Amino acid sequence: YSKDEAFPLDVRGLTVLGAGSTTTLVRGQGTFDRTALEGQLAFADMRATIIAGHPTRVTRVEGMTLQRPTELTAMDEKDSALLCDQGNITERSPASVPAANTILRDLVIAKGYARGVVVSNSTKTAAASGCNLKITASALRGGPGQGILASGANRGGTTAAQASRGVAIEIGGPDPADAVVATNYQSSTFSAAGAFVGSIAQLLLERFAVDNSNIGLIIEQESSSGKHPRAEVRRLTVTKGSSVGLWLNCDTRLGVLE
């Protein structure tokens, strides 16, 4: 990308490697129209620094800090650092979930976005799909919303087959170097959290630490057609300043393993 590249940066199906999150800074944000894609976030004036996710190709973003031009102090559901709204999930609740095809590593989301990483879906296009994202070795530095939002809910579709597309999210991993940290997600008028997960096909979480936030992890989930999406939580740590560690409102079969 050149210095004159317009925001949001569209990196669908591409590999974008920075020199490291302490070295490479991507500062900026742009508005784009998602109404033709529908899905969970079908707004005409979405804002993001990066748009990611592709139905068939791998998208990889590594080694950089994303920063908003100015810091938000109030919640705005149209605002995010990185929005992934397509991926290799093609059903609401697939029998098996493939490996993530959007990969984030060594990513810092600077303070001031309403939401850091958003994992969502597209339901109206011929290539309707849900994002399947893995984030490791990254830090989410705070705002009035959530460090991570993963939701496969839907605002409509042109056919019954496009009515919904699930999403999948993997946070952290077994290696200590894979840990993801979220800090300072606070609001007096909104349920701010390190991560909010709802209407998913799969959640795999290991080594996720949340500090000084209203809530550590929120899981809100309704089963679809009698299927219970997989949700596994290992090594969730919620520390000072957080009112609630784990908030469950779901009928998902949740395995809190550690």
Side-chain angles (χ1 to χ4, degrees):
Y1 288 95
S2 73
K3 66 178 181 179
D4 299 318
E5 190 72 32
F7 288 96
L9 304 179
D10 188 341
V11 305
R12 298 186 191 279
L14 302 177
T15 294
V16 183
L17 303 178
S21 59
T22 60
T23 302
T24 299
L25 173 66
V26 179
R27 185 176 188 270
Q29 194 180 45
T31 301
F32 62 104
D33 187 346
R34 285 205 74 262
T35 53
L37 298 173
E38 287 201 349
Q40 167 71 5
L41 299 170
F43 299 111
D45 52 350
M46 291 292 298
R47 293 187 304 278
T49 300
I50 288 178
I51 304 173
H54 191 278
T56 59
R57 299 199 298 266
V58 173
T59 302
R60 189 179 299 272
V61 180
E62 296 185 16
M64 63 189 69
T65 292
L66 306 185
Q67 185 180 66
R68 203 176 187 278
T70 58
E71 291 186 13
L72 279 182
T73 57
M75 179 56 190
D76 183 347
E77 65 175 327
K78 301 175 183 178
D79 185 90
S80 62
L82 185 146
L83 170 65
C84 175
D85 61 357
Q86 295 179 27
N88 58 5
I89 305 291
T90 58
E91 299 178 50
R92 172 68 179 82
S93 299
S96 62
V97 175
N101 71 335
T102 294
I103 311 298
L104 310 181
R105 186 170 180 83
D106 186 23
L107 191 68
V108 170
I109 307 298
K111 182 181 178 182
Y113 290 96
R115 289 169 169 148
V117 174
V118 173
V119 179
S120 189
N121 56 2
S122 299
T123 59
K124 197 172 181 180
T125 64
S129 61
C131 177
N132 187 358
L133 182 144
K134 179 176 182 179
I135 178 170
T136 59
S138 295
L140 312 157
R141 295 283 172 78
Q146 301 106 2
I148 298 171
L149 168 71
S151 177
N154 181 46
R155 295 178 186 272
T158 57
T159 69
Q162 294 174 345
S164 186
R165 293 292 185 271
V167 303
I169 176 77
E170 185 173 351
I171 302 171
D175 191 316
D178 292 334
V180 176
V181 178
T183 58
N184 300 314
Y185 284 92
Q186 298 185 346
S187 173
S188 60
T189 60
F190 184 78
S191 297
F196 178 103
V197 179
S199 300
I200 56 163
Q202 178 172 273
L203 164 67
L204 301 178
L205 181 152
E206 185 166 6
R207 299 187 188 276
F208 183 47
V210 183
D211 181 64
N212 201 36
S213 300
N214 290 158
I215 303 170
L217 171 65
I218 301 172
I219 302 178
E220 290 194 356
Q221 180 74 36
E222 295 180 2
S223 65
S224 175
S225 302
K227 298 178 180 178
H228 296 267
R230 180 185 181 190
E232 293 184 1
V233 176
R234 296 180 174 93
R235 298 184 175 95
L236 169 66
T237 303
V238 183
T239 52
K240 65 177 183 179
S242 300
S243 301
V244 179
L246 177 61
W247 180 330
L248 298 177
N249 181 16
C250 60
D251 59 3
T252 299
R253 289 171 183 158
L254 172 67
V256 182
L257 303 181
E258 293 185 50

